[in-house]
C-alpha cells in the first residue's frame, strides 16, 4: 500500500513539474524575461582589491 502511495506521489510530482515548466516557458512573461536577461558580469568591487592589499 505504501509503495502505491510513493508511486502515485512521484507521478503527481512529474505532472506538476512538467506543467509548471511548460507553463513558464510558453507564457508571455516567461518569454519576455528570457529575451531580456543578459549574462551576469562579475564586476570588481572596492573590497576585492582592498582585502588583497
Amino acid at each position: 500500500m505504501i509503495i502505491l502511495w510513493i508511486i502515485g506521489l512521484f507521478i503527481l510530482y512529474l505532472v506538476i513539474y512538467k506543467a509548471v515548466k511548460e507553463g513558464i516557458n510558453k507564457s508571455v512573461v516567461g518569454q519576455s524575461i528570457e529575451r531580456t536577461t543578459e549574462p551576469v558580469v562579475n564586476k570588481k568591487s572596492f573590497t576585492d582589491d582592498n582585502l588583497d592589499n
Side-chain angles (χ1 to χ4, degrees):
M1 186 69 174
I2 294 175
I3 294 174
L4 292 176
W5 271 94
I6 293 172
I7 293 171
L9 288 175
F10 182 71
I11 292 172
L12 183 63
Y13 167 77
L14 290 176
V15 169
I16 292 173
Y17 175 78
K18 184 72 172 173
V20 169
K21 185 176 177 184
E22 290 293 320
I24 291 173
N25 288 342
K26 292 186 179 182
S27 70
V28 175
V29 175
Q31 289 176 357
S32 67
I33 290 173
E34 190 173 307
R35 275 187 269 126
T36 59
T37 54
E38 298 175 3
V40 177
V41 177
N42 292 335
K43 298 180 181 177
K44 285 211 156 214
S45 68
F46 172 73
T47 57
D48 291 340
D49 294 331
N50 192 19
L51 292 175
D52 291 336
N53 294 335

